[in-house]
Amino acid sequence: MNIIVLVKQTFDTEEKIVVEQGTVNEDGVKFVINPYDEYAVEQAIQIRDDAGGKVTVVSVGPERAAEALRTALAMGADEAVLIHDDRIGHDEQAVAAALHAFIAQEQYDIILGGNFSVDNGAGQVAVRLAKMLGIPHTSSITKLDIAAGKAVVHRDAEGDLEVVELPLPALFTAQQGLNEPRYPSLQGIMKAKKKPFRELSLDDLNLDVGAVAARTARTELQLPPARQAGKIISGEPAAQAQELFRLLRTEAKVI
Amino acid sequence: MSKTFLVVAETRGGSLRQVSYETISAARTAGGTDTAVAAVLLGAGASALANELAQYGADRVYTVEHADLEHYNPQAYFAALHAVVQSAQPDAIFFGHTAIGKDLAPQLAAELGTGQISDVTAIEVDGSGETLFTRPIYAGKALEKKAFTAFPWIVTVRPNNITPLAPNATRTADTEAIAYPEPTLHTIIRDVVRNTSGKIDLSEAKVVISGGRGVRSADGFKPLEELAAVLGGAVGASRGACDAGYCDYALQIGQTGKVVTPELYIAAGISGAIQHVAGMSSSRVIIAINKDPEAPIFKIADYGIVGDLFEVVPLLTEQFKQALQP
Ligand SMILES: Cc1cc2nc3c(=O)[nH]c(=O)nc-3n(C[C@H](O)[C@H](O)[C@H](O)COP(=O)(O)OP(=O)(O)OC[C@H]3O[C@@H](n4cnc5c(N)ncnc54)[C@H](O)[C@@H]3O)c2cc1C
Ligand SMILES: Cc1cc2nc3c(=O)[nH]c(=O)nc-3n(C[C@H](O)[C@H](O)[C@H](O)COP(=O)(O)OP(=O)(O)OC[C@H]3O[C@@H](n4cnc5c(N)ncnc54)[C@H](O)[C@@H]3O)c2cc1C
């Protein structure tokens, strides 16, 4: 079973966002694997351990994204590929095109990605990739069973549960609940250093700059208006409930 | 009319979803006056709803009806929508940022090799006539404005953020049935188990009542469910409650869960971790109920009650019940 996992590096979810001159300041920020992609990596390792084969993790991004790939290798992935080229546009179409150029030349049975990235949150890249490769997909899965060249998955659709069957090769995006990602062990971290790690540019992928040009552009970036602490309602519970009700009706006018 | 924008409308339980009206309104705002807005309905019984779409602003309604479209199947829905797009040749296609929209829009964007701006919460046309789309990033910790650099546009609109147009009972629309192209389906939907926990969809709810680890057990959600029933709201949860096994992950609100923007958000027994706050901080009014006066949730709540949720929530339910009685 050859499994490819799409890994994006994102800000740690604890990080405060600082906007400076129209961009998000990255100084001193801690970066992690996109939490949804961690589920994807974990699932890939489990399938490989069960069925044999190879797990390749791939990321499109700046040099520092190599750290996220190293973490995935330390978790147990076999190989990593970083697609890094400043000519790749910073939008989902561009990133999907770059991933496509690499993956279309690979042997794979399963592609796993995240449901969305916790920073940009567009939820496009993986599904775009499936379409570009011409393979079926199921997004937002919470269970994945593989048998006899087929996958049976559970999909979370706004709380509804769909049971979906599809043939391999196929692409899936991971939703919370799929599994419990492991932490890299010390041994895993040591081993990771010796695993194959490739860096590819547009030239290696024979990609034309036009194919990876962005179709959208950011025109402005701001912090949302800060929320202020409001009123604390004191007293006996019954009086608190009454007062809250009054405030909601007369002051906040929500009911 | 120089341009055509297409809106992909959605139904649930046989009626149109609120987000469909909001998406028509979004397309109108984005397109300005020289744009015709068409809507598309996929699935059985679609044509019966055409009038309603017209009243909310659609100039034309395309329908595709076929048994394959009974449940959402990515391949079947894509094939049906693609047939409509080929016929209508729209300059932009708008979706709700819903389970279906999130899955269908990127497929179409990839097929057309075009850009998509996801999870849009506001739209404006600036002085130079450029359409700007606002979207929260880092789970609402920052807001960006984006514009397209190529056509066609593909947009998904977050539920509960854009005001629908006032319905006009006299408006009608042309309808056009498009033939389903009958693709070979590799994907089979074996079963659909409808959400049993929350009757109202979290992302569209006007009132959300969330429980955290403070509810202490699955049963601890009962008082919250009772309050939600009285207010016509939905029940959500923190990851703390989900991780503890008190509820399903489908209820999780936050940076790695759902992002909600209700009129009223009540956080009961939730400490207010940054990842939780990211998913609810754009709610209009926030209420926190927590035993600990130092809990960070009070820093962002409009109204706070320091107290035991098991005492306070039932009292609130009583209060609302009495007051809201006809
Ligand atoms: C030179 C360069 C520099 C970049 N710098 C940054 C940066 O500083 N910060 C930043 O956040 N992004 C950076 N990117 C990445 C790029 O901007 C985003 O990945 C892209 O816009 C994807 O959108 P998304 O996050 O909304 O993905 P979504 O569509 O929300 O992601 C869904 C899933 O798709 C997969 N996926 C998404 N993006 C990638 C990726 N890049 N590589 C592998 N798999 C992916 C993941 O499995 C993810 O869970 C850079 C890209 C390039 C080429
Ligand atoms: C990568 C990552 C992603 C995450 N994503 C999310 C996310 O999307 N959403 C999310 O919510 N969290 C997320 N978290 C987890 C987050 O950091 C917190 O751990 C979580 O939100 C805590 O949940 P809680 O407030 O319910 O629990 P706790 O922090 O344990 O708080 C429980 C609160 O209940 C109060 N309490 C107890 N009993 C009562 C009572 N009887 N009456 C009133 N109050 C009472 C306590 O005073 C306390 O403040 C994420 C974490 C990580 C690392």
Side-chain angles (χ1 to χ4, degrees), chain B residues 212-213 238-239 252-253 255-256 269 271 275-276 290 308-309:
Chain B
R213 223 191 303 266
S238 71
R239 173 140 160 205
Q252 184 184 315
I253 289 166
Q255 185 151 13
T256 52
S271 60
Q275 297 95 345
H276 185 78
N290 197 303
D308 186 335
L309 74 95

Side-chain angles (χ1 to χ4, degrees), chain A residues 5-11 26 31 34 36-37 40 58-64 83-96 98-99 112-127 173-174, chain B residues 118 135 138 146:
Chain A
V5 187
L6 315 177
V7 168
K8 180 179 168 182
Q9 190 189 41
T10 66
F11 273 47
E26 295 189 352
F31 290 91
N34 180 36
Y36 287 97
D37 301 358
V58 51
S59 189
V60 179
E63 292 283 4
R64 59 165 162 71
I83 302 171
H84 169 61
D85 197 312
D86 292 337
R87 293 170 291 177
I88 303 174
H90 287 209
D91 86 348
E92 301 82 4
Q93 144 77 27
V95 170
L99 288 169
L112 281 157
N115 188 19
F116 63 87
S117 66
V118 299
D119 52 359
N120 184 46
Q124 298 181 24
V125 170
V127 176
T173 71
Chain B
S118 298
R135 57 187 303 272
Y138 302 92
K146 289 193 92 175

